[in-house]
Amino acid sequence: MTRSTPITPSPDFRTLFESAPGLYLVLTPSLVIVAVSDAYLNATITERDEILGRHSLDIFPYNLDDSTACGGEDADDLDSATSRRE
């Protein structure tokens, strides 16, 4: 009698990522949003279909004239990180 190897289903990585408890946003090198966790959507009060495929700074702009606004340093960090890519 020959034993067959049981077939195991492939994990659904998109569902795993989207349901992760952390605040995760995946960007392309040009800062386009390609994936986002449910927790991130809840924290930023956004909808997945409204932000996927859009540039991150179009969704979360910052005001250089407002010294109390947050996000400016984050944008500068992203710009610095992407300019160092090889």
Side-chain angles (χ1 to χ4, degrees):
M1 179 158 91
T2 307
R3 294 185 70 191
S4 61
T5 305
I7 298 173
T8 58
S10 298
D12 182 352
F13 290 107
R14 177 175 297 278
T15 300
L16 289 170
F17 172 80
E18 290 176 353
S19 62
L23 307 178
Y24 299 111
L25 185 67
V26 179
L27 305 173
T28 66
S30 59
L31 306 181
V32 173
I33 301 167
V34 294
V36 60
S37 67
D38 293 338
Y40 190 96
L41 294 171
N42 289 331
T44 58
I45 312 169
T46 54
E47 299 286 330
R48 182 173 282 108
D49 61 343
E50 294 174 0
I51 69 172
L52 287 180
R54 303 215 19 222
H55 193 280
S56 60
L57 294 180
D58 289 340
I59 303 298
F60 305 109
Y62 63 95
N63 182 353
L64 292 175
D65 298 326
D66 182 356
S67 62
T68 63
C70 62
E73 292 103 14
D74 295 337
D76 293 340
D77 290 344
L78 285 171
D79 187 46
S80 175
T82 57
S83 68
R84 287 183 281 162
R85 284 186 46 117
E86 294 180 12

